[in-house]
Amino acid sequence: MAFRRRNKSYPFFSQEFLIQNHADIVFSLVIFILIGLMFEATAKTAILFIQPQYNISTPSPEGEVTLYQYGWQDCTTILFYFFITIILHAVVQEYVLDKVNRRLHLSKSKNTKFSESGQLCVFHLVSSVWSFYILITEGYVFHPSTLWENYPHVHLRFQVKFFYLTQLAYWLHALPELYFQKVRKEEIPRQLQYICLYLLHISAAYLLNLSPVGLVLLCLQYLSELGFHIARIFYFTDESHQKMFDLWAVNFVFTRMVTLTLVFLAVGFGLARAENQGLDWDMGNFNTVLIRMPVLLLVSLTQSWLLWKFIRFQLKRWREFRHEQVARKRVAAKQTPRPLKRDSIGHHENGAIKAENGASPRPKKIKAP
C-alpha cells in the first residue's frame, strides 16, 4: 500500500527515504500487531495495543456495565492509535489535500497552511461531533451539575476513555509530522505551541479525573477552531471570502468567555464545596486547593494568552486595512483629471473654442465697411 508517488528512489534508511515512506513503514507495524491477534501465544500482548485496559464490571439497574480506569498500560494503546493517526494523516494528505493543492496552484507558504488547515479541519469536525455525542449520551448537556458532582470521575465508560486515548494519540502524532511534512522552520514554533497546549490540557483532565469538564471544553474549542480553519480554506481558494473570519472572531470571543465561566463554575465553586476534600492517590481524589488553583491558573493564563494574540492579530489586520484605504485614496486622487474651463458658448481645447457637442462654433461674419 503506497501512500506517496515515487518520483525518485532514495537509499534505504536515508532521511528522504524515511520521509517518503513513513506511512508505509507505520502501516507495516500496524499489520504486524494485528497478525499477533491470530496466534494464541501473542494475542494477549497484541490486545494491549488495540483495546483499552483496566476494565471493571459493575452491576447497574440496566445490567452489568463495563467501566474503565487509567493506568500505565494506556501508553501501549496510545502508541497503536498513534500509528493509526499517522496512516490516516497520510491518506487525507495524499488523496484529498494534495489533489486540491495541484488545482489551486498555491505558493509554498500558502500550500503549507492549506494542508495544515485541511488536516485540522477534518480532525476538529470528527472530534467536535464525537465529543458532542458523548456529552449528550452521558447527560452532561442537560445536567451541568454532573460536571463536578460525584467527583472523582474515576470510572469511565468505553467511549469516554477511548476518546481521550485517541486525542492524546493524535496530538502526539502531530510532533513527528512536523518532520515528515517538512514544515518550515519559522512555522514550527507556532505549531509546537498549540500542540503542547493541547497535550497539557488533555493530559491534565484525564489524569486528574476531570474528564466531564475536559469533554465540554474540548467540544467548545474544537467548534471554534473548526470555524477558523474552514474560513482559512475558503480564503485560500478565493481571497474575497473574508466575512467568515468575522463570524469566527465572534465565536472565538464567545468560546473564551464560556470556557472561563465553566472552569470557574466547575472547579472554582463546584469542587470547592464538595465534601470529599483532600488528596487520595488510591481513590483518584485530587480535590485540594493546591490542585484546583494550578488548574484554574493554567486555564485562565491560556485563555488570556489566546485573547491577547487574537487582539494583536485584529489590530494588525485593522492597521493594514487602514493603510490600504489611504493608499487607494492617494492613487485615486493622482489619477483624477483636471476640470476643463468652459464659457457660455463652449469650451477651449488646444487653443480653439469648441461647442458643447464637440463641434467648433460658426465664425461670425464681419460686414464690410
Side-chain angles (χ1 to χ4, degrees):
M1 181 178 181
F3 290 102
R4 293 191 178 275
R5 298 173 181 174
R6 271 65 174 169
N7 298 325
K8 184 180 178 181
S9 60
Y10 296 97
F12 286 101
F13 304 111
S14 64
Q15 181 180 1
E16 292 297 330
F17 177 83
L18 181 61
I19 292 174
Q20 189 180 47
N21 300 279
H22 72 277
D24 293 333
I25 297 171
V26 171
F27 184 76
S28 302
L29 293 174
V30 171
I31 294 297
F32 180 76
I33 294 172
L34 293 176
I35 291 175
L37 293 173
M38 301 172 61
F39 304 97
E40 186 177 357
T42 57
K44 291 183 179 180
T45 304
I47 203 68
L48 295 175
F49 291 89
I50 301 171
Q51 182 180 345
Q53 302 301 307
Y54 304 102
N55 55 324
I56 301 172
S57 297
T58 58
S60 67
E62 301 175 355
E64 265 196 3
V65 178
T66 303
L67 301 177
Y68 293 84
Q69 297 176 332
Y70 67 80
W72 290 106
Q73 292 181 2
D74 290 341
C75 296
T76 58
T77 310
I78 293 173
L79 179 64
F80 178 78
Y81 290 101
F82 169 85
F83 294 152
I84 296 295
T85 50
I86 290 178
I87 297 171
L88 294 177
H89 187 112
V91 170
V92 173
Q93 186 68 38
E94 174 67 21
Y95 295 104
V96 180
L97 298 178
D98 286 348
K99 291 183 178 180
V100 177
N101 284 334
R102 285 191 289 268
R103 291 185 179 181
L104 294 177
H105 304 289
L106 300 174
S107 61
K108 288 185 178 180
S109 60
K110 288 186 177 180
N111 190 2
T112 303
K113 292 181 180 180
F114 180 85
S115 298
E116 177 193 1
S117 291
Q119 293 285 350
L120 290 176
C121 189
V122 174
F123 171 72
H124 289 320
L125 177 62
V126 174
S127 297
S128 58
V129 173
W130 189 6
S131 59
F132 186 69
Y133 172 78
I134 295 174
L135 291 175
I136 293 177
T137 54
E138 295 294 326
Y140 299 139
V141 175
F142 304 104
H143 303 90
S145 60
T146 55
L147 296 177
W148 59 84
E149 290 179 351
N150 301 322
Y151 180 83
H153 302 278
V154 179
H155 300 100
L156 306 175
R157 294 185 182 271
F158 173 81
Q159 59 180 356
V160 178
K161 177 166 183 174
F162 189 64
F163 176 81
Y164 272 96
L165 295 181
T166 52
Q167 293 296 308
L168 291 171
Y170 180 87
W171 291 112
L172 284 172
H173 112 281
L175 294 173
E177 285 295 340
L178 297 176
Y179 171 73
F180 294 143
Q181 299 299 323
K182 295 183 179 180
V183 178
R184 296 185 305 167
K185 291 183 179 180
E186 55 268 22
E187 288 289 328
I188 290 178
R190 179 185 63 84
Q191 295 193 28
L192 277 177
Q193 284 178 353
Y194 70 75
I195 291 171
C196 294
L197 282 175
Y198 273 115
L199 285 173
L200 179 60
H201 285 75
I202 294 172
S203 301
Y206 184 62
L207 297 177
L208 296 178
N209 296 317
L210 294 170
S211 54
V213 180
L215 276 171
V216 177
L217 299 185
L218 282 175
C219 184
L220 292 171
Q221 177 65 20
Y222 287 157
L223 287 174
S224 175
E225 291 297 306
L226 177 63
F228 170 74
H229 290 292
I230 290 176
R232 193 157 74 161
I233 288 174
F234 276 101
Y235 175 76
F236 288 141
T237 56
D238 186 0
E239 294 187 357
S240 62
H241 292 99
Q242 295 188 1
K243 291 184 179 180
M244 295 189 68
F245 284 109
D246 298 331
L247 296 175
W248 164 76
V250 176
N251 187 23
F252 180 87
V253 177
F254 175 76
T255 302
R256 304 284 80 77
M257 297 298 104
V258 174
T259 298
L260 288 172
T261 303
L262 281 175
V263 169
F264 277 93
L265 180 64
V267 180
F269 294 97
L271 293 181
R273 297 181 180 181
E275 297 180 357
N276 54 345
Q277 300 286 331
L279 181 62
D280 191 345
W281 292 91
D282 296 331
M283 297 297 296
N285 185 11
F286 302 97
N287 191 11
T288 63
V289 179
L290 296 177
I291 302 295
R292 290 197 306 269
M293 291 304 295
V295 170
L296 292 174
L297 189 62
L298 173 64
V299 177
S300 300
L301 289 177
T302 303
Q303 301 304 312
S304 302
W305 178 70
L306 291 173
L307 277 174
W308 177 68
K309 285 186 63 179
F310 173 78
I311 292 171
R312 285 187 59 190
F313 171 75
Q314 294 297 329
L315 288 175
K316 181 181 177 182
R317 184 182 172 191
W318 179 76
R319 288 169 185 166
E320 291 177 354
F321 177 76
R322 292 290 299 173
H323 287 313
E324 289 179 2
Q325 293 293 325
V326 171
R328 288 178 183 175
K329 288 181 180 179
R330 289 177 180 174
V331 172
K334 290 180 180 179
Q335 294 179 353
T336 303
R338 295 180 180 178
L340 300 175
K341 295 182 179 180
R342 298 176 180 270
D343 53 13
S344 58
I345 299 175
H347 62 276
H348 293 274
E349 185 174 331
N350 295 329
I353 300 177
K354 293 256 181 160
E356 290 295 333
N357 56 4
S360 298
R362 289 184 178 180
K364 293 182 179 180
K365 292 183 180 181
I366 302 175
K367 294 181 180 180

